[in-house]
Amino acid sequence: MPPDLAAVGAFRYHDFTMTTQTVKTRFAPSPTGYLHLGNIRTALFNALLARRQSGRFVLRIEDTDRERSRPEYIAALLDDLRWLGLDWQEGAGVGGPHAPYAQSERTAVYAEYYQRLDAVGHVYPCFCTPAELALSRKAQQSAGQPPRYAGTCAHLNEVERRARWERGLQPTLRFRVPPGRTVEFTDLVRGPQRFASDHIGDFVIRRADGGAQFFFVNAVDDSLMGITHVLRGEDHLTNTPRQLLLLEALGLPAPEYGHMALIVGAAGGPLSKREGDFSVRELRAAGYLPEALLNYLARLGHRYEHDEWMEPAELAAGFAVAHLGRAPAHYDEAQLLHWQTEVVGRAAPERLWTWMGSMVHERVPPDRREEFIAAVRPNTRFPADAVFWANRLFGGDWAPSDDSRTAIAAAGPAFFAQALAVYAEYGAAYRPLVEDLKRRTGAKGKDLFMPLRAALTGETHGPELARVLALLPPDVARRRLEACC
Ligand code: GLU
């Protein structure tokens, strides 16, 4: 639907109403690296919006940067999105009515739309070299003007163009931005926006090597694929007026855009390696579970009615564009760890067992699996924690912590002689064992439990002592108590 151009020098794009039109959102990554927290938050919000509205979520691969795009990054991002459970109904890997979904395969589509712009005189070849453009930008900057294309090639006649062709110059294709216009749109997150077209400057939509340029392919594909809503990072906000002008010139409908605040570090700067600049691969390898990332990211720059743990379907049901914040979203590792603890606390035992990995599988006897999981779950946030406890309970080389040496020394050998005696009598029957030990030694509370725990596990904190006692092979328990006598 072409916009209403009658408005004095300004135009508005129609508002899609979520009730009358199937919502279609997309994630459009450039496969030039692995997906990071920021990308997957964008993917997540678009997926949640589609799901919330019973719409469709599309995955489009923006691989027009031939030098930096790599097939292995495409494979990795498909894998990451699937691991996260961010399923798409249409797009790369699954196909759909607007295939192909990789921009590198859509050259013929773009050729047609370049042709259309050419036919209405909305584009022109630009022969300016990168060095000339840099010079012109510099001149504008020193004159205190915002850098924008000076229009050098905007009005070349045929003879001038031919002369440049003959010199062997390969032109880019520039979009002719209409002068004196105000581009207005209502951003889904940031509200009404106005941009003067005179500040934009004619921009490149096809590179000198014939490659399609981002502004163009991104806008054309959104429109052709029927995308109704685009949630993306606010670094794209100033691209939007350009893209709206392009779509207007092509007579193509535009989606609604919402520009989300970027994720920043605790101090407000860009994410660093210490502060959340992690790829999904790294987080997965570290043992993060997908629902932890989802629960965390869905709340990073978006507010839910309540702060409790939510299943992915609940995250979608409670998602609202109106709850997206404009303030920068600060990465907070403590929050991410909080949700990780929540997932580990909730995961089915079988799933946790697989997640704990081969070092645990090798260490823990098969018939103790369930008990082991129950014992260490509250003390486990990552597989490494489970490995730690598997070693402490079922062998492996380890030395007691300093705290536990102190606790053992404080209790003294006589305490452990009694402990051995009660163990011989009651074995893993925890209640009678501690009652009798209390009676025999007079120790109670911390003085009773701490040395016992320290002797049995080499730590002063850890899984419930009753569970530890039940899990420890009797000869191991006996040896550890003897070692303290
Ligand atoms: N390929 C673009 C990016 O990764 C997509 C931007 C957008 O969502 O429109 O930044």
Side-chain angles (χ1 to χ4, degrees):
M1 182 165 79
D4 174 11
L5 296 178
V8 273
F11 64 87
R12 294 187 63 81
Y13 280 85
H14 55 286
D15 289 333
F16 287 105
T17 46
M18 294 194 189
T19 44
T20 56
Q21 184 171 13
T22 304
V23 163
K24 202 168 180 187
T25 65
R26 51 70 166 177
F27 179 47
S30 304
T32 55
Y34 293 117
L35 294 183
H36 278 232
L37 280 181
N39 313 120
I40 55 172
R41 188 183 62 146
T42 301
L44 171 65
F45 285 173
N46 282 290
L48 291 178
L49 174 59
R51 211 156 155 190
R52 168 79 180 89
Q53 305 292 333
S54 309
R56 283 165 84 76
F57 177 49
V58 178
L59 175 65
R60 184 174 69 233
I61 307 296
E62 302 214 317
D63 53 353
T64 52
D65 184 339
R66 282 183 229 149
E67 301 211 324
R68 292 171 59 227
S69 297
R70 300 231 191 296
E72 58 267 32
Y73 291 138
I74 299 179
L77 75 88
L78 297 180
D79 185 48
D80 289 345
L81 292 172
R82 290 196 181 107
W83 176 73
L84 285 162
L86 298 182
D87 298 333
W88 56 104
Q89 291 72 50
E90 191 181 317
V94 302
H98 303 287
Y101 290 91
Q103 291 183 327
S104 58
E105 295 166 26
R106 295 175 63 77
T107 313
V109 177
Y110 305 140
E112 181 189 334
Y113 286 90
Y114 285 129
Q115 180 53 44
R116 286 194 193 187
L117 287 175
D118 193 30
V120 293
H122 238 303
V123 288
Y124 59 87
C126 170
F127 298 88
C128 297
T129 63
E132 286 165 344
L133 293 171
L135 214 63
S136 146
R137 259 198 307 274
K138 227 171 174 176
Q140 287 172 331
Q141 267 158 351
S142 45
Q145 295 161 350
R148 95 180 77 107
Y149 182 59
T152 319
C153 295
H155 302 289
L156 297 181
N157 61 34
E158 262 321 302
V159 179
E160 291 166 319
R161 277 185 195 158
R162 203 162 318 122
R164 284 165 176 76
W165 278 111
E166 278 160 13
R167 270 164 44 209
L169 294 175
Q170 284 297 319
T172 60
L173 192 67
R174 273 190 199 270
F175 179 74
R176 216 182 272 283
V177 173
R181 294 276 301 276
T182 304
V183 184
E184 286 187 73
F185 64 97
T186 301
D187 189 277
L188 294 165
V189 180
R190 309 166 71 88
Q193 303 290 316
R194 289 168 69 90
F195 292 87
S197 71
D198 289 342
H199 291 166
I200 295 177
D202 297 347
F203 54 90
V204 174
I205 60 172
R206 194 177 63 206
R207 295 190 302 259
D209 66 2
Q213 213 277 345
F214 167 76
F215 296 128
F216 179 82
V217 291
N218 179 267
V220 165
D221 282 347
D222 279 342
S223 193
L224 296 182
M225 292 177 182
I227 302 303
T228 61
H229 296 76
V230 169
L231 295 177
R232 60 183 179 181
E234 68 184 1
D235 49 334
H236 287 291
L237 181 63
T238 54
N239 298 336
T240 300
R242 291 178 170 86
Q243 297 192 301
L244 292 175
L245 287 168
L246 260 172
L247 292 174
E248 178 202 28
L250 286 166
L252 290 174
E256 286 198 76
Y257 292 92
H259 293 90
M260 305 179 295
L262 300 180
I263 306 178
V264 294
L271 285 184
S272 64
K273 211 56 202 161
R274 270 185 35 226
E275 275 189 326
D277 185 18
F278 305 120
S279 68
V280 180
R281 323 237 101 193
E282 286 171 308
L283 294 165
R284 185 177 172 179
Y288 276 101
L289 289 162
E291 300 95 316
L293 299 185
L294 299 182
N295 265 270
Y296 176 58
L297 291 172
R299 292 172 166 89
L300 194 55
H302 175 265
R303 173 173 56 76
Y304 279 98
E305 297 298 342
H306 65 84
D307 263 344
E308 275 97 66
W309 161 262
M310 286 189 228
E311 290 294 333
E314 296 171 291
L315 289 174
F319 182 80
V321 167
H323 291 176
L324 288 169
R326 293 188 203 186
H330 288 269
Y331 173 75
D332 180 356
E333 188 186 32
Q335 288 290 324
L336 180 54
L337 289 171
H338 164 77
W339 295 115
Q340 171 75 358
T341 306
E342 285 279 328
V343 199
V344 174
R346 283 158 199 275
E350 276 311 307
R351 183 178 175 206
L352 275 192
W353 179 253
T354 308
W355 169 80
M356 285 172 178
S358 58
M359 283 164 83
V360 169
H361 302 169
E362 282 158 23
R363 196 63 87 192
V364 179
D367 61 333
R368 315 311 299 275
R369 183 191 288 195
E370 299 263 304
E371 282 171 277
F372 175 77
I373 293 170
V376 306
R377 188 195 285 264
N379 302 86
T380 296
R381 202 144 61 176
F382 293 103
D385 302 318
V387 172
F388 178 90
W389 289 112
N391 281 333
R392 287 294 156 114
L393 295 170
F394 298 105
D397 284 334
W398 52 266
S401 71
D402 290 347
D403 283 355
S404 42
R405 279 186 222 275
T406 310
I408 290 165
F415 175 90
F416 291 104
Q418 295 298 345
L420 255 181
V422 294
Y423 188 68
E425 190 162 345
Y426 305 105
Y430 179 71
R431 281 274 145 232
L433 179 142
V434 294
E435 283 310 318
D436 200 11
L437 186 59
K438 195 189 284 181
R439 200 176 48 71
R440 289 169 182 239
T441 60
K444 51 183 197 276
K446 211 175 147 209
D447 293 337
L448 181 78
F449 300 112
M450 195 68 95
L452 209 48
R453 173 184 288 289
L456 293 173
T457 68
E459 290 297 321
T460 52
H461 57 85
E464 274 178 47
L465 202 47
R467 292 185 186 274
V468 168
L469 217 51
L471 276 168
L472 276 176
D475 56 320
V476 175
R478 216 173 299 119
R479 251 186 287 119
R480 290 184 186 171
L481 292 173
E482 270 164 12
C484 302
C485 290

